[in-house]
Structure formats: C-alpha cells, structure tokens
Amino acid sequence: MVLKFATNVSTAQTDYGTVLLDERAGEYWELNPTATLVVNILMAGGDEADAAAALAGEFDIDLAQATDDVEALVRQLRTSGLAG
C-alpha cells in the first residue's frame, strides 16, 4: 500500500523527524523519527509489513508491537485527513 499525503499537506524534514502542515486547518503535526521511518517506507511503495519489519529491526521491538504501531499510525493519518 502506497501512503500519500493529501494535497493540502506540506511536509518538512527536521533533525527530529518530519513536520506536517495541514494547510486546510492551519494545524501542524510532528512525526518523530519512528513515525518518519514508517511513513518513508510506505510512501516509497512498501507495505505495512515492510514498515513493521524495519521498525522492529531499527528500534529493537517485537514484530507484533511494531505491526500494531504501524497500523495505529496509518489509521491516525487517514482519520485526520492527512493521508489517503
């Protein structure tokens, strides 16, 4: 599944992750390095399993927890209207 930000969302990479601006609502969102890793994998064409595996490897958490975290992040991005 390719993740794609909505057209009204601007992004900026920082030393601490990624900042999102929802131009429609005028709200900023900050993705920490963990979320940034997941989003980058999904936007590059990887699926949630790929993102969970990378998360588990990079941050030394078990795969089940990583899978739950990836699913929660994607759900929150979609529910907020930031991504589709």
Side-chain angles (χ1 to χ4, degrees):
M1 159 206 63
V2 174
L3 184 74
K4 193 171 178 188
F5 287 120
T7 57
N8 59 302
V9 175
S10 298
T11 65
Q13 298 285 358
T14 71
D15 291 340
Y16 307 103
T18 304
V19 175
L20 310 176
L21 169 61
D22 181 350
E23 296 170 0
R24 157 194 69 168
E27 296 178 341
Y28 286 92
W29 298 67
E30 186 174 350
L31 302 179
N32 64 21
T34 306
T36 296
L37 173 67
V38 170
V39 165
N40 286 343
I41 289 169
L42 295 175
M43 291 184 80
D47 62 17
E48 290 184 13
D50 296 327
L55 194 59
E58 181 74 21
F59 294 97
D60 195 31
I61 61 173
D62 67 51
L63 188 57
Q65 181 63 55
T67 300
D68 290 346
D69 292 347
V70 168
E71 290 172 356
L73 174 62
V74 170
R75 186 172 43 254
Q76 185 174 17
L77 290 170
R78 288 195 169 137
T79 301
S80 68
L82 295 171

